Amino acid sequence: MNSSTEKNEAVASAVPAEEATKPFQRKMATIEDDDERLLNQIGYAQDMNRHFNQWSILSYAVSVLGVLGSQPATFGVPLSLGGPAGAVWAWLIGSIMSSFTSASVAELVSAYPTAGGMYFVTKSVVPPEHAALWAWVVGWLNLLGQAAGVASVWYTVSQMILATATMNSGFDVDAGVYSYKPTPVQIVLLAIAFLIASGIVCSLTTRKLHQIEMWFGPINVIGTISICIALLTLTPKLQSAKWVFGEFKDGSGWGTGFSFLLSFLSVAWVMTDYDATTHMSEETHNAAIQGPKAIRWSITISGILGWILTVTLCFCIDDFDSVVTSPTGLPAAQLFLNAGGQAGGTAMWFWVIVVQTFTGLSAMLALTRMAYAFSRDGALPFSSFFSRVNTHTKTPVNAVWLCVLFCICMVLIAIGSTQTIVAIFNITAPALDFSYALVILARNIYAHRIKFIPGPYQLGKWQKPINAITFTWVSFISVVLLFPTVRPVTAVNMNYAVAVGAFIGVFSLTWWFAGARRTYTGPRTNARLVSVGDEDGNFVARPDGIDDVATPTVGSEGS
């Protein structure tokens, strides 16, 4: 195989403008060649190795959502706010709306399969004079949203492990408390240890990561189904279907209707980070097809599994008040304890922790690739250092440890203020979803000026209505999720996520106008993409004449 330099030179002179309209049959080209040519034409060199395939990238996409770990970790929020019916129906509706959002995201990133994901797409759907500012805002929303998500996942892993220690400590029946209760310092120190461990894993070669990630999805699916069966079998007394599907509560004080809307906190936190899969595009074979497929299938699989798990947990609630106020600190952990006793409950809870650990590793992987892509475009301080790819592992090791350090600084806040760290974690879903919604909005409002050339995954005639539903839903639910969850509002129960969101906005815009606008030009691309070639490998001429090099095929749906 030719060197990367030779391939880049070959691409630069591959098809002259006058030959672009003529079919050109590739000779023995491989998918690897096509992926690299496509990335070269977008404007980047193939610095990392491609080892992820259709199965490992799907497994990765499922593990990023990590239903078996993330849903039990957040189950107490919708349960306490909207009751069992609030939790059940919020998950169902939220999953359906996530499917719309993921479809919009999948179409956009199919055309531009790079490590930057939706951030990169921005430049190709916004007029040149506005592209840099749009990309800057979208990039920072995505980066900080992902960082908050990674920190929150490892924080919850620590809570889960220490909740296990609480479950297995002595219980004072009279006082109704366990003899052990974790302190904020213990939770934070354990989270830091996991962050460092995740940094070590994410620094491995892409081949190793592919081999590791291959197991994450299947374990998630099998574990979820197995635990649902175990809970329903072992729980002494199950609730009625009428209670599970019809018992709404006003746990917020805002009224039953608004309490139900606040119940979307769980599904919004779990079913997000859709473009995490695209951040692995430069390490995935046939990324323009396999990435979008993985996004769509992971949402479907996780949505169904999450709903089944939510319904199962609600059926297993024998005493609502005792579960919501569980001394373990996690209502789901109490249900496991009630069903399996100390030994059985711990055994089941162990698999929840394992899957949540998978989620933390996968989310960290996406964050590091986004940091690498952002640095590659000169958007971070010391970008030339953080955009380097390690010559041995062929992975962005410098960006990995930048992300580890940043997340450690974030979780350290929890030692001094639980309210502040919760606010930072709560911004994860709105920040990520808005980073997608802004790109989707730009694609539509600038459609008369910028011709979008879709990739292999296309929405066709459904593009406009799906994008309209996506933007409307994200805007609506993000505002709802910034509201305080309990009324009357005090300094203690205030949802400071809105303050964190405002800080992100002020921070990014201040930095932009203070100097970044003079140096940052957006994603550094050579030209806009053309539509991919046909499945026989013929080059296809550009319809808009912007570029003089036609894009080779990156595969077909049947590949």
Side-chain angles (χ1 to χ4, degrees):
M1 181 174 283
N2 295 333
S3 67
S4 178
T5 302
E6 290 171 338
K7 286 187 176 180
N8 290 350
E9 292 174 351
V11 170
S13 60
V15 184
E18 62 271 14
E19 296 296 323
T21 58
K22 299 179 181 180
F24 177 78
Q25 185 66 40
R26 295 172 300 141
K27 296 181 179 180
M28 301 300 292
T30 64
I31 289 177
E32 288 88 345
D33 293 330
D34 290 338
D35 284 324
E36 187 165 336
R37 288 192 189 102
L38 187 56
L39 186 61
N40 290 160
Q41 187 183 355
I42 290 172
Y44 300 123
Q46 181 67 58
D47 293 325
M48 296 183 282
N49 293 325
R50 294 179 185 266
H51 290 293
F52 278 75
N53 58 26
Q54 61 179 328
W55 300 114
S56 55
I57 197 64
L58 174 59
S59 180
Y60 170 81
V62 171
S63 69
V64 165
L65 302 179
V67 167
L68 181 57
S70 301
Q71 193 273 355
T74 57
F75 175 66
V77 176
L79 184 67
S80 62
L81 294 175
V88 168
W89 294 115
W91 186 278
L92 180 63
I93 296 172
S95 297
I96 293 172
M97 302 313 295
S98 294
S99 183
F100 283 105
T101 308
S102 68
S104 297
V105 170
E107 183 185 43
L108 291 171
V109 298
S110 176
Y112 305 92
T114 74
M118 289 289 279
Y119 149 73
F120 176 87
V121 175
T122 309
K123 185 173 183 177
S124 297
V125 295
V126 175
E129 65 270 24
H130 304 308
L133 178 57
W134 276 78
W136 178 265
V137 173
V138 169
W140 276 108
L141 276 174
N142 192 276
L143 187 68
L144 294 179
Q146 287 202 60
V150 168
S152 66
V153 169
W154 288 121
Y155 190 82
T156 57
V157 169
S158 300
Q159 286 181 311
M160 288 175 166
I161 291 175
L162 295 177
T164 306
T166 300
M167 289 163 56
N168 288 275
S169 65
F171 184 71
D172 187 333
V173 178
D174 295 330
V177 296
Y178 286 96
S179 60
Y180 170 72
K181 182 178 180 180
T183 65
V185 172
Q186 291 172 332
I187 296 173
V188 168
L189 290 177
L190 188 55
I192 289 174
F194 275 113
L195 280 166
I196 293 172
S198 69
I200 295 172
V201 173
C202 292
S203 298
L204 297 175
T205 64
T206 302
R207 182 186 296 277
K208 287 290 184 185
L209 292 170
H210 150 74
Q211 293 169 345
I212 293 171
E213 288 282 352
M214 186 73 80
W215 294 96
F216 288 3
I219 291 175
N220 198 331
V221 173
I222 296 171
T224 303
I225 296 172
S226 300
I227 284 179
C228 286
I229 294 173
L231 285 172
L232 293 173
T233 303
L234 297 173
T235 300
K237 181 182 178 181
L238 299 177
Q239 285 284 358
S240 66
K242 180 180 179 181
W243 187 83
V244 169
F245 294 101
E247 183 68 20
F248 291 92
K249 294 184 179 294
D250 177 16
S252 68
W254 291 99
T256 304
F258 201 76
S259 291
F260 170 67
L261 292 178
L262 291 172
S263 298
F264 282 89
L265 275 166
S266 176
V267 67
W269 189 75
V270 178
M271 302 285 279
T272 188
D273 205 6
Y274 312 113
D275 77 329
T277 303
T278 68
H279 294 306
M280 300 303 297
S281 291
E282 294 175 36
E283 297 163 82
T284 303
H285 294 301
N286 208 6
I289 289 177
Q290 300 307 335
K293 285 170 64 176
I295 292 172
R296 301 292 288 122
W297 273 108
S298 65
I299 290 295
T300 301
I301 293 169
S302 299
I304 293 172
L305 289 177
W307 193 69
I308 292 172
L309 183 56
T310 301
V311 171
T312 297
L313 291 175
C314 289
F315 268 112
C316 295
I317 298 173
D318 56 349
D319 185 322
F320 180 83
D321 293 332
S322 65
V323 169
V324 169
T325 60
S326 170
T328 65
L330 293 170
Q334 186 63 50
L335 294 177
F336 282 47
L337 191 62
N338 293 346
Q342 197 171 68
T346 300
M348 289 188 289
W349 193 246
F350 168 78
W351 287 106
V352 173
I353 295 173
V354 167
V355 170
Q356 187 71 337
T357 302
F358 293 167
T359 299
L361 289 171
S362 298
M364 176 62 87
L365 201 53
L367 171 62
T368 62
R369 274 40 178 183
M370 175 57 194
Y372 159 74
F374 216 27
S375 297
R376 182 171 59 184
D377 295 329
L380 294 179
F382 310 106
S383 287
S384 60
F385 177 76
F386 293 120
S387 62
R388 291 178 191 168
V389 172
N390 186 275
T391 55
H392 175 67
T393 65
K394 294 294 183 180
T395 53
V397 174
N398 294 349
V400 169
W401 291 101
L402 169 67
C403 295
V404 170
L405 180 60
F406 185 73
C407 290
I408 287 175
C409 293
M410 201 176 295
V411 297
L412 282 171
I413 296 172
I415 295 178
S417 174
T418 303
Q419 289 84 4
T420 302
I421 198 64
V422 169
I424 292 174
F425 294 163
N426 284 347
I427 203 64
T428 299
L432 286 173
D433 286 349
F434 260 123
S435 73
Y436 312 147
L438 286 175
V439 182
I440 293 167
L441 175 66
R443 186 234 171 127
N444 285 273
I445 64 176
Y446 291 121
H448 65 291
R449 294 185 58 186
I450 303 295
K451 182 177 178 60
F452 178 78
I453 308 298
Y457 181 88
Q458 302 178 24
L459 296 178
K461 65 180 181 180
W462 297 103
Q463 177 260 318
K464 287 187 177 179
I466 288 177
N467 284 351
I469 292 172
T470 293
F471 185 79
T472 302
W473 171 254
V474 168
S475 301
F476 169 71
I477 202 63
S478 294
V479 171
V480 170
L481 298 182
L482 293 176
F483 267 76
T485 56
V486 179
R487 187 182 179 189
V489 180
T490 66
V492 175
N493 63 31
M494 172 64 184
N495 185 352
Y496 290 99
V498 65
V500 175
F503 171 78
I504 292 174
V506 172
F507 166 78
S508 62
L509 291 176
T510 300
W511 189 353
W512 170 260
F513 287 108
R517 59 178 175 162
R518 290 188 289 272
T519 58
Y520 176 74
T521 58
R524 294 174 177 174
T525 58
N526 288 337
R528 288 190 173 84
L529 272 177
V530 302
S531 51
V532 298
D534 64 28
E535 62 182 14
D536 293 325
N538 297 323
F539 284 107
V540 181
R542 286 196 61 100
D544 54 11
I546 295 176
D547 194 283
D548 65 352
V549 180
T551 302
T553 178
V554 294
S556 62
E557 195 67 34
S559 297

